[in-house]
Amino acid sequence: MAGLATRRDSNALKMSASTYGLYIRIRGIVQGVGFRPFVYNLATRYGLNGWVRNSAAGVEIEISGNSEALQAFVSELKTNPPPLSRIDSFEAVSIPPNHATTFTIIESQDESHEFLPVSPDVAICADCRRELFDPGDRRYRYPFINCTNCGPRFTIIRAIPYDRPNTTMAGFPLCPDCEADYHDPGNRRFHAQPIACPVCGPHLQFLTPQGETLAEREDALQLARQWLAEGRILAIKGLGGFHLACDATRAESVRELRLRKQRSDKPFAVMAFDVSTIARHTHLGEAEQQWLTSPSHPIVILERLPRSPIAAEVAPGQHTLGFMLPYTPLHLLLLEPSPGFPEVLVMTSGNLSEEPIAYLDHEVFDRLASLADGILTHNRPIYTRVDDSVIRIVHGAPYFLRRARGFAPDPIHLPREVPPILAVGAELKNTFCLTRKHYAFLSHHIGDLQNYETLQAFEEGIRHYETLFRTQPEWLATDLHPDYLATRYAQNRSQVESKPLLYVQHHHAHLAACLVDNGINDPDPVIGLIFDGTGYGSDGTIWGGEVFIGSYAGYRRYAYLKPVPLPGGDRAVHQVARMALAHLWANGLPWEEDLPPVQALCADERSLLYAMLEKGINTPLTSSMGRLFDAVAALIGLRSTVNYEAQAAIELEQAVDMHEAAAYSFRIEWPYLDAHPLWEALLNDLRHGISIPRIAARFHNAIVTLCLEVAQYIRDVEGIRRVALSGGVWQNQILLHRTVRELQQAGFEVLIHRQVPTNDGGLALGQAMVTAAWIEGKNYSE
């Protein structure tokens, strides 16, 4: 074949009498998304012959026919592939025509050296949902209905290529009807690997915490609904693990769940049957609705309506709710509206606080028996545990707080090819990142590496990704902090496998993650406003309020919050009254008896704290912006201790008077960003009875003004107009929106996170890109 025509003239191309052949290889998200059936039906429609198959490299096609038909086939394949697919590369070369007389799907080929992306799990599609509630369908009310357009993917796959024997569905032989569906090119379940029905597929069981079976199949579902309606707490096996569920409108049930789960204040996620139900409880915009109903079905943070009957205990001290829609047929059946049944359920991770989500069948008895009154489970094994994803909507697009189900392990496409690198992330909100060529496989959310169970999940996840993507890292990357469990893992592996290990400064990794998140490839440095709670600095102190000038290759610490002592180290992170008193001490301001943080500590505690500060005992210095938020929240009386990370800062944000325009100020004495004027003004306002919401607003406005002043100064001196915002503090929506607005109005190009979290959940991606720059020899230091 001389080549495919790239355009048509006004007259249709004449049918060629000659036959030509093409070999096509496609990489991307092309397995488990109905790609082969799509190719089959497309080729059949155009009268082309040949075959299509999965391989470890993606999808391969060998096809023959006349020139015009081949051209039309290729054009449609490129421009209108299956909705869940993503084409990353498309190679087509001319070959001699084959002598096939039909087009077929042939057996998958496994090339051990090749790899390809794997589809995330996909929420139930509209067709399957319709069949689920259709009494005339043979899968009516079947909790595991799926097709090529929806259902489990990543959570059930053991190896590639993505075929049924390589999934946890291998133990369910197909019945004759499902076998016929699977092999029928005109059927929506043609080569759908998790295909099942009530005859041959998994089924439900309702168990007591002691393991006694009370009901099965539909009876199990109905018993679960009955118990939920009565106010009981259930463990429910979902797609990537167990949830704990109860009626979200029953305050006593939610309080009991908090007590059992040992989760005092951190918000619970909730689930409702449909969008109209969510709209009765929250302000629901078009973009929020779009993402709630997207194939990923994440938890979306929404503004709560004051009239909502959802118990305040679901999200204590907050005016937002994290809602999601049912993403499995089981969830839909569980939440099916009926008189007397709760329209909103708490649907939180099945674990004790700080542990990983339970996902193995035996774990429910070991770990959840004391938390749940009953257990709704099933016999489809979960291979990989995956939590629910959490997003906000910022300027109409997702802004990740947690990237997991529905997104992982969908790779981040890198702006340039990099060597195989394993970056292990940090301690909190851990993810790891495995790179190969132009792909960065950022893992699903692992959690906080502060206990053995989470460390096991971390190590198991790394092994699975290396197997799944056929990649053995040549380099390792980790955080500078010597005591992180992730760092120790990387150090041990580096020694055992004799692989080089690069230590990447925490905030440099944040900056690099934001750059790659935005597809930045050029080497020009940017301004990085990197604000978070804790990050180990190159000088041995704790950083967190950083202004960098840098790129993948390196950074300069241009400015930072003037350091203050962190009395007692981590104790000050949890007892934020200590942080407020440390800031007052560092600024020469008295601990007056009526101040809330002074009242929060007894006389002996205050005496000990003062001695620690005066003598420098166990008081590492920190420039943390997160700790500054904590200190302000404690000083104005919002909270003296926290029960979860960033609780004080979150409640400070919730308190802001949105109409207050005044702002406190910082004194800039390069490289110090000195908060002394801010503390003096804040204390003065407190003494004069200015309300907490107005003080909270003036503090937020002060940070926005500081960011603008610093960026403008650097632009004038260094000529840099691009600003990257990264670090956990930028989860604060008021701070984010106002800072972006002010910077853009001043003519800056502002980069924020879009594909990965701004918190430490995106850190491993940045570590990988810094390491790639190091390998290329492009590194520089302060």
Side-chain angles (χ1 to χ4, degrees):
M1 181 177 179
L4 293 173
T6 57
R7 61 184 175 86
R8 296 171 182 252
D9 58 24
S10 56
N11 298 315
L13 293 175
K14 294 182 178 180
M15 182 70 72
S16 169
S18 301
T19 299
Y20 300 98
L22 281 178
Y23 169 77
I24 300 171
R25 183 163 68 176
I26 305 170
R27 298 186 68 119
I29 305 294
V30 291
Q31 292 190 19
V33 292
F35 209 94
R36 289 178 300 168
F38 175 82
V39 170
Y40 173 91
N41 288 310
L42 190 63
T44 302
R45 174 149 50 96
Y46 285 110
L48 301 170
N49 300 323
W51 51 261
V52 60
R53 70 181 175 196
N54 279 345
S55 75
V59 165
E60 295 178 292
I61 304 166
E62 191 172 295
I63 194 163
S64 297
N66 71 68
S67 176
E68 183 178 7
L70 282 174
Q71 175 182 287
F73 171 85
V74 169
S75 176
E76 190 162 348
L77 192 57
K78 285 182 174 180
T79 59
N80 190 32
L84 299 180
S85 66
R86 189 191 75 196
I87 295 176
D88 291 335
S89 67
F90 190 106
E91 304 170 57
V93 295
S94 296
I95 60 171
N98 61 47
H99 299 291
T101 57
T102 60
F103 194 88
T104 58
I105 295 178
I106 65 173
E107 186 175 347
S108 298
Q109 184 180 52
D110 187 5
E111 303 167 57
S112 60
H113 64 284
E114 291 287 0
F115 78 105
L116 79 163
V118 173
S119 170
D121 299 283
V122 181
I124 183 172
C125 68
D127 289 328
C128 284
R129 181 173 177 149
R130 184 175 59 253
E131 292 170 350
L132 180 68
F133 293 108
D134 179 4
D137 193 277
R138 74 183 186 88
R139 294 183 176 88
Y140 173 57
R141 301 190 65 79
Y142 182 55
F144 307 97
I145 188 171
N146 67 85
C147 69
T148 54
N149 298 321
C150 68
R153 300 290 196 276
F154 177 56
T155 52
I156 65 170
I157 188 171
R158 292 190 175 103
I160 55 173
Y162 176 66
D163 288 328
R164 193 179 182 93
N166 289 334
T167 74
T168 62
M169 289 297 293
F172 298 93
L174 296 177
C175 68
D177 287 337
C178 284
E179 187 80 32
D181 290 346
Y182 184 85
H183 291 290
D184 177 7
N187 193 289
R188 203 176 72 253
R189 295 182 174 88
F190 184 40
H191 284 254
Q193 305 308 330
I195 186 173
C197 77
V199 174
C200 63
H203 69 273
L204 296 177
Q205 288 182 300
F206 191 94
L207 310 175
T208 68
Q210 294 73 39
E212 179 188 356
T213 301
L214 299 184
E216 297 193 68
R217 303 182 187 275
E218 181 69 20
D219 290 341
L221 175 73
Q222 294 306 323
L223 186 57
R225 285 171 55 86
Q226 177 188 326
W227 282 34
L228 287 167
E230 292 171 354
R232 303 198 212 186
I233 297 168
L234 297 187
I236 298 170
K237 187 177 180 181
L239 200 59
F242 283 87
H243 284 114
L244 291 169
C246 69
D247 182 350
T249 64
R250 284 187 184 238
E252 65 274 15
S253 295
V254 181
R255 281 196 296 268
E256 180 63 22
L257 177 56
R258 287 199 175 278
L259 182 65
R260 296 183 190 180
K261 192 174 161 71
Q262 299 175 25
R263 184 165 166 174
S264 302
D265 296 308
K266 192 174 182 180
F268 287 145
V270 290
M271 181 182 282
F273 183 76
D274 54 22
V275 168
S276 62
T277 303
I278 296 177
R280 290 197 289 272
H281 297 274
T282 65
H283 294 282
L284 189 59
E286 183 178 342
E288 286 82 359
Q289 181 171 333
Q290 176 187 343
W291 279 97
L292 280 166
T293 58
S294 68
S296 53
H297 270 46
I299 297 169
V300 180
I301 306 299
L302 303 168
E303 292 293 315
R304 175 183 179 139
L305 292 174
R307 65 176 182 271
S308 169
I310 291 174
E313 289 81 356
V314 168
Q318 301 198 31
H319 50 70
T320 57
L321 291 167
F323 257 108
M324 59 180 158
L325 288 170
Y327 52 86
T328 71
L330 174 57
H331 290 135
L332 280 169
L333 294 169
L334 197 64
L335 276 147
E336 186 178 15
S338 67
F341 189 78
E343 68 174 17
V344 179
L345 295 178
V346 167
M347 200 68 73
T348 188
S349 300
N351 56 4
L352 272 174
S353 185
E354 309 307 328
E355 289 184 357
I357 184 172
Y359 77 110
L360 298 174
D361 292 331
H362 69 80
E363 285 185 314
V364 74
F365 305 112
D366 299 338
R367 298 175 51 199
L368 303 184
S370 62
L371 309 185
D373 300 314
I375 302 161
L376 182 63
T377 188
H378 58 76
N379 59 337
R380 183 177 70 198
I382 298 170
Y383 191 75
T384 301
R385 80 177 93 213
V386 179
D387 281 282
D388 295 312
S389 294
V390 184
I391 67 169
R392 287 182 180 270
I393 301 301
V394 174
H395 303 307
Y399 191 74
F400 282 88
L401 305 184
R402 185 168 73 198
R403 182 180 182 270
R405 177 192 51 77
F407 298 95
D410 199 5
I412 308 301
H413 202 74
L414 300 177
R416 61 178 182 266
E417 188 169 310
V418 303
I421 299 165
L422 172 63
V424 298
E427 190 87 342
L428 301 180
K429 297 180 173 63
N430 178 270
T431 61
F432 60 84
C433 183
L434 187 66
T435 66
R436 181 164 174 176
K437 298 184 178 179
H438 282 91
Y439 290 124
F441 296 99
L442 184 68
S443 79
H444 52 291
H445 170 82
I446 303 296
D448 296 349
L449 295 184
Q450 296 176 326
N451 57 58
Y452 179 66
E453 291 82 2
T454 313
L455 180 63
Q456 278 187 307
F458 167 78
E459 293 177 350
E460 289 166 2
I462 290 174
R463 287 193 293 270
H464 187 44
Y465 272 61
E466 290 177 353
T467 299
L468 206 57
F469 302 120
R470 309 282 175 82
T471 301
Q472 278 297 306
E474 297 172 0
W475 285 74
L476 302 171
T478 190
D479 194 89
L480 278 178
H481 200 297
D483 294 328
Y484 283 173
L485 292 181
T487 298
R488 293 178 183 176
Y489 168 88
Q491 289 170 335
N492 181 66
R493 186 162 177 182
S494 173
Q495 292 171 359
V496 171
E497 300 180 10
S498 299
K499 291 180 177 175
L501 171 62
L502 187 71
Y503 294 85
V504 181
Q505 199 281 320
H506 190 93
H507 303 94
H508 186 201
H510 271 306
L511 174 61
C514 190
L515 294 178
V516 70
D517 199 340
N518 287 271
I520 303 299
N521 191 34
D522 62 67
D524 293 337
V526 305
I527 301 167
L529 301 179
I530 316 300
F531 299 160
D532 65 2
T534 300
Y536 196 79
S538 60
D539 60 359
T541 66
I542 301 169
W543 296 2
E546 311 307 305
V547 179
F548 281 1
I549 294 179
S551 64
Y552 301 125
Y555 68 92
R556 276 192 288 156
R557 193 186 186 200
Y558 204 90
Y560 47 94
L561 289 180
K562 189 174 183 180
V564 299
L566 186 68
D570 284 346
R571 189 170 179 186
V573 176
H574 300 286
Q575 197 175 18
V576 292
R578 285 172 164 253
M579 206 64 244
L581 296 183
H583 271 274
L584 293 178
W585 178 88
N587 285 279
L589 299 170
W591 294 359
E592 298 179 1
E593 289 290 336
D594 61 338
L595 292 175
V598 175
Q599 296 177 346
L601 302 177
C602 69
D604 288 345
E605 287 179 302
R606 294 198 301 271
S607 296
L608 177 61
L609 183 65
Y610 190 82
M612 291 171 62
L613 292 168
E614 286 288 315
K615 297 177 182 179
I617 301 171
N618 193 18
T619 52
L621 292 176
T622 182
S623 59
S624 169
M625 180 68 78
R627 301 291 79 82
L628 179 63
F629 270 79
D630 288 348
V632 170
L635 186 65
I636 64 178
L638 281 177
R639 172 164 292 282
S640 60
T641 61
V642 299
N643 299 310
Y644 62 90
E645 186 193 10
Q647 183 180 11
I650 290 169
E651 293 181 2
L652 183 63
E653 178 189 2
Q654 300 280 309
V656 167
D657 179 348
M658 299 299 289
H659 302 291
E660 176 64 41
Y664 301 130
S665 61
F666 287 78
R667 180 168 58 237
I668 302 177
E669 297 177 339
W670 303 100
Y672 292 143
L673 310 176
D674 188 353
H676 189 275
L678 180 149
W679 287 114
E680 286 189 322
L682 192 154
L683 282 168
N684 185 61
D685 280 353
L686 205 57
R687 294 285 176 222
H688 285 82
I690 301 298
S691 69
I692 286 176
R694 292 181 66 192
I695 292 174
R698 292 176 180 185
F699 171 70
H700 279 74
N701 293 340
I703 307 298
V704 174
T705 302
L706 175 68
C707 291
L708 181 61
E709 289 178 356
V710 167
Q712 288 176 324
Y713 177 86
I714 295 175
R715 180 174 60 187
D716 292 343
V717 174
E718 306 285 346
I720 302 173
R721 306 180 65 87
R722 181 180 277 169
V723 182
L725 309 181
S726 190
V729 168
W730 293 108
Q731 293 175 144
N732 183 311
Q733 295 299 289
I734 293 173
L735 187 65
L736 179 70
H737 281 277
R738 293 181 179 180
T739 304
V740 169
R741 180 191 65 202
E742 294 299 317
L743 289 171
Q744 288 179 338
Q745 288 179 354
F748 289 95
E749 178 189 355
V750 184
L751 308 178
I752 66 172
H753 285 273
R754 286 305 188 190
Q755 302 177 80
V756 304
T758 189
N759 57 45
D760 284 4
L763 204 71
L765 178 64
Q767 290 173 346
M769 288 304 291
V770 171
T771 302
W774 179 276
I775 295 168
E776 294 166 5
K778 298 178 180 178
N779 58 294
Y780 63 86
S781 58
E782 289 189 272

